[in-house]
Amino acid sequence: MRRRTFLKAAAATATLGATLAAPAGGARVLAAPALAAPLVSFPQGFVWGCSTSAYQIEGAVAEDGRGPSVWDTFSHSYGRIANGDNGDTACDHYHRYAEDVALMARAGMKAYRFSIAWPRVMPQGTGAVNAKGLDFYDRLTDSLLARGIEPWPCLYHWDLPQALQDKGGWLNRDIAGWFTDYALAVTAKLGDRAKRWAMLNEPSVVAIFGHGTGGHAPGITGRLNCLKAIHHQNLAQGTALAALRAAGGAKNWQLGTVLALQPSWPVGGLDSNYPASLMWDALWNRSCLDPLFKGRYPEQLAADFAGIAKPGDLATIKQPVDFLGVNYYSRMHQQVDPQGLFGTGYGSAPEGTRRTGMEWPVEPDGLTEILVELQESYGNPPVYIAENGADYPDTVGPGGRVQDDDRIAYLRGHILAARNAIDEGCNVKGYMVWTLLDNFEWAEGYRRRFGLVQVDRKTMARTPKASYDWYANVVRNNGVPAA
C-alpha cells in the first residue's frame, strides 16, 4: 500500500525495568507489578484479547465425529511440515479449553477470537450437523461468557473439510453455497450468545500459499488456481454475509471478516521494483479489500478476474460489514522476479531492520501505515487488530520461566503503532494478540513459538511467559508504558 511519512513515529522498543516473577510449574499465575507511570492510554472501551485457530490448538482430530480437513491430509504428507509435525494433538485445547479460558481470564482479556472447525461441525462439509462437534463450541462459548470474555467466532481459518476438497474445494464456485449453509448452522446454535462473527481468516493467504505456490494445504499451484481461490472465497463471504444479515435480525449480530493486510514496498526503494510492489499489493491486500468495499477488483488484476467472475458476483461480494479484522506482522518488500507466480518475489528490508525468529522484519510503523490507508481509501471502517505477534527462539530460565523480552518489545511497538493510528483519526477499536499458546505453526510445525504461554510438548503443561504478565498489565491498565 502507499508509503506515508508520519509526524508521529512508532515508539522505539524499551527494556522493561522489572523482572516478572515466574509461576511455580505453570500451576498458577502470580500477579505482575503494576506498570510504572506514565502510560500511553487507549480510549475507554478499547477491546483487548487474543486470537487462536482450531487446527493449530484443538487436537482431537478423530474424536466425536470430526472429519478430516485439508490440513490433516497435508500434514500427513511426507515432507510438507517441518520435522514431520502435524496437528493431531496440537495443544489439546479440545480437552483443556477450560484451563485456557482461565488463562485468558487471569490476564483480564475481554475478547477471544477463535475459529470453528468446519470438519468438526460438518464432517462431509455439507449435510447433517455433527451435534457432538458443535457441542464443543457450545461449551467453549458458555465457559468464556462465565469468565466475562466475549466470544468472537471465526467461521473459517484454513481447515477446509477434505470431503469438500475432493469436490474441488475453493476452486469450485459451489462452495459459496456450502459455506453459507455451514455458517447458518453454526450461528443458529451459538448466535443467541455469540454476537460478533468473522467470516474468513486471511483469504489471500489461503489462495496464495495453498493454491498458488503450494506451500500450504491443499498444496495446489498455479496463477489461475490462486485467483479462483480468491474469488470463490470472496463470493462465499458475500453470500454468507447476506444470509446471516437476514437471519440475524433481532439478534443484533456484528458481522465482519479478517484480512491479512501488510504494506508492499519496493526493495531498495528502486523504481524498477515499484511495479512488483504494486502487483503484490494488488494480490495480497486489494484483491480482497477492493471487492468488499468498492465492488471491483484492483486494476492490476481486473482482467484476470474478469475471466473468473460471473455477472452479479461483485454485487454479491460487496456487502456491508460491521467491523474489519486486520492481521499485521510486517511489511512485504517486493522485487521483480520473473520466476514468481505474479512476476514478483520477496526481498530484503532496509539494512539495519530488526527481525523476528521467523526472519520477518520488525516494522511497527507499517501497522500505522495500513490503518491510515483504510481510513483514507476504504471509508475508515471499525477495525480490530485481529492478529499481531512474533516468533522468537524462547529460552527457558533456571526457574522454568521464559523471559521473552524480544516479544514484549515487539508487542509494545505495535500496540503503540495502533495508538498512533488512533491519533491520526483511524477507527481502531481493539487489539488481539497472536497468540495465547505456542501452537502448530502450519508448515513450520512446532518449531515456531508465538505464544504468551509455553506449552510442554510432552505433558501439555501451560507455563505463562514474561510476555503474558506484561500483556496482562497492558489490558488491566488500558495502556502501555510510555518509555
Side-chain angles (χ1 to χ4, degrees):
M1 292 191 155
R2 78 178 60 167
R3 299 176 64 170
R4 174 182 169 95
T5 302
F6 295 99
L7 296 176
K8 300 182 178 71
T13 58
T15 302
L16 296 182
T19 299
L20 306 180
R28 62 194 181 94
V29 179
L30 302 181
L35 292 173
L39 289 174
V40 176
S41 297
F42 280 73
Q44 185 175 4
F46 193 80
V47 176
W48 299 98
C50 68
S51 292
T52 67
S53 88
Y55 189 74
Q56 292 182 273
I57 66 168
E58 282 183 4
V61 296
E63 289 190 38
D64 293 335
R66 179 190 179 276
S69 77
V70 292
W71 272 97
D72 293 299
T73 303
F74 192 78
S75 66
H76 282 272
S77 300
Y78 179 77
R80 293 291 200 176
I81 310 296
N83 301 320
D85 293 336
N86 59 61
D88 290 1
T89 303
C91 302
D92 198 29
H93 176 74
Y94 190 77
H95 301 110
R96 297 171 179 261
Y97 71 90
E99 181 180 357
D100 296 336
V101 171
L103 282 166
M104 297 177 223
R106 290 173 195 167
M109 299 183 199
K110 295 302 181 184
Y112 176 42
R113 184 184 75 103
F114 60 96
S115 74
I116 310 290
W118 192 343
R120 197 178 293 285
V121 173
M122 287 183 171
Q124 296 302 310
T126 60
V129 170
N130 174 31
K132 287 186 177 180
L134 195 48
D135 283 348
F136 167 69
Y137 300 105
D138 195 58
R139 297 191 299 272
L140 174 60
T141 297
D142 285 345
S143 179
L144 290 165
L145 291 172
R147 293 279 194 161
I149 302 169
E150 184 180 5
W152 286 56
C154 179
L155 289 165
Y156 181 73
H157 197 132
W158 302 9
D159 48 352
L160 186 73
Q162 182 61 43
L164 294 186
Q165 185 59 42
D166 294 342
K167 298 178 180 179
W170 291 112
L171 303 184
N172 184 341
R173 67 179 283 120
D174 289 344
I175 200 168
W178 301 337
F179 177 73
T180 299
D181 290 344
Y182 154 70
L184 288 168
V186 173
T187 53
K189 176 71 171 181
L190 304 178
D192 59 330
R193 288 153 290 156
K195 300 300 182 182
R196 305 209 211 205
W197 291 90
M199 301 300 104
L200 305 178
N201 179 81
E202 299 184 347
S204 66
V205 179
V206 172
I208 294 167
F209 295 146
H211 299 78
T213 63
H216 282 186
I220 294 171
T221 61
R223 179 182 174 122
L224 180 59
N225 289 330
C226 175
L227 296 174
K228 281 185 176 180
I230 289 175
H231 181 68
H232 293 154
Q233 286 180 94
N234 286 338
L235 185 63
Q237 176 179 277
T239 305
L241 281 169
L244 293 182
R245 188 77 62 192
K251 295 180 180 179
N252 297 318
W253 291 338
Q254 294 275 304
L255 304 178
T257 200
V258 178
L259 303 180
L261 300 178
Q262 302 177 227
S264 178
W265 280 21
V267 171
L270 299 176
D271 289 344
S272 58
N273 288 325
Y274 190 61
S277 71
L278 289 179
M279 174 59 81
W280 196 251
D281 175 44
L283 180 67
W284 184 282
N285 296 311
R286 300 187 192 275
S287 66
C288 296
L289 269 175
D290 284 10
L292 177 62
F293 287 101
K294 299 181 178 181
R296 63 177 185 264
Y297 279 108
E299 178 183 354
Q300 291 85 350
L301 295 168
D304 295 270
F305 282 111
I308 299 170
K310 292 188 176 182
D313 281 2
L314 286 169
T316 298
I317 294 168
K318 187 178 183 294
Q319 296 291 326
V321 288
D322 300 303
F323 67 89
L324 178 67
V326 171
N327 295 353
Y328 174 84
Y329 291 93
S330 67
R331 289 190 182 95
M332 302 174 295
H333 299 271
Q334 291 291 304
Q335 58 192 357
V336 174
D337 180 1
Q339 303 304 312
L341 195 65
F342 289 81
T344 73
Y346 283 90
S348 297
E351 186 176 353
T353 303
R354 292 177 296 119
R355 294 182 178 273
T356 70
M358 290 273 283
E359 290 297 314
W360 294 351
V362 178
E363 300 172 299
D365 56 327
L367 175 57
T368 311
E369 181 182 350
I370 210 79
L371 295 170
V372 170
E373 180 73 5
L374 291 172
Q375 176 198 39
E376 293 182 344
S377 300
Y378 294 94
N380 206 19
V383 166
Y384 294 84
I385 310 305
E387 286 186 26
N388 176 244
D391 159 67
Y392 286 101
D394 293 333
T395 302
V396 180
R401 170 79 155 181
V402 172
Q403 185 67 37
D404 52 341
D405 291 337
D406 285 339
R407 182 172 293 105
I408 291 171
Y410 179 98
L411 296 177
R412 178 179 178 275
H414 286 78
I415 292 170
L416 286 172
R419 175 70 247 195
N420 289 342
I422 293 171
D423 291 342
E424 292 276 338
C426 300
N427 196 10
V428 184
K429 299 294 188 182
Y431 176 94
M432 300 184 195
V433 66
W434 184 269
T435 181
L436 181 68
L437 307 170
D438 287 341
N439 60 23
F440 177 80
E441 185 51 38
W442 307 114
E444 294 290 326
Y446 296 102
R447 68 180 180 175
R448 303 300 183 186
R449 300 174 180 89
F450 281 79
L452 303 181
V453 176
Q454 179 189 24
V455 178
D456 187 293
R457 294 304 316 151
K458 294 181 179 179
T459 67
M460 294 291 130
R462 275 79 160 134
T463 305
K465 306 174 188 179
S467 58
Y468 171 91
D469 287 334
W470 181 87
Y471 186 60
N473 273 324
V474 170
V475 174
R476 291 183 178 118
N477 288 280
N478 194 35
V480 295

